[in-house]
Each structure stands twice: as C-alpha cells, then as structure tokens.
Amino acid sequence: MADNDRDEVERTTVVETGNGGGGGGVLAVVLLIIVVLVLLYLFRGQLGLGGSDTNINVPDKIDVTVNQN
C-alpha cells in the first residue's frame, strides 16, 4: 500500500537533433560558385570563351605562281 501513496510525475525527455545551425557549409559553397562564375565572366576573353571576335575571313580566290625551269 505504500506504493500507491506516491503521486504520478509526468516526465518529458527533450532530444536535440542538431539541425539548428549547419547552414554555413551550404552558404560557403554557394558563394564559391558565384565567385567562380564572376571570374569566368571577367576573364572569358583570356580563356577563349567567346570574349574575342570569332569571325574568320577566307578569300574567295588565291593566286599561286609556279616557276618552271
């Protein structure tokens, strides 16, 4: 009967999963991609990515003189 005299106590267990702040790595990757894209845009001429004139003029006729001895 001594066991029935105790009051029931409600117990709550809090489990932290650690999802509250791991966004720094994702932010760093996004910033790295943006920086690489900006650098590619700025130096596209030196890298040959369309920054220079790509028109090639080919003559319609080439005169060739051959000397026979």
Side-chain angles (χ1 to χ4, degrees):
M1 211 165 175
D3 290 336
N4 292 337
D5 292 339
R6 295 188 333 184
D7 294 332
E8 290 293 324
V9 177
E10 183 176 333
R11 298 179 190 274
T12 303
T13 302
V14 177
V15 178
E16 295 185 17
T17 59
N19 291 335
V26 174
L27 181 64
V29 170
V30 170
L31 286 176
L32 179 65
I33 290 172
I34 290 172
V35 167
V36 168
L37 289 175
V38 168
L39 289 174
L40 283 175
Y41 179 76
L42 290 176
F43 296 106
R44 67 188 183 276
Q46 287 87 348
L47 295 173
L49 298 174
S52 62
D53 188 20
T54 57
N55 293 331
I56 299 173
N57 295 326
V58 178
D60 294 333
K61 179 177 159 183
I62 300 175
D63 294 327
V64 177
T65 305
V66 177
N67 294 329
Q68 293 180 352
N69 292 338

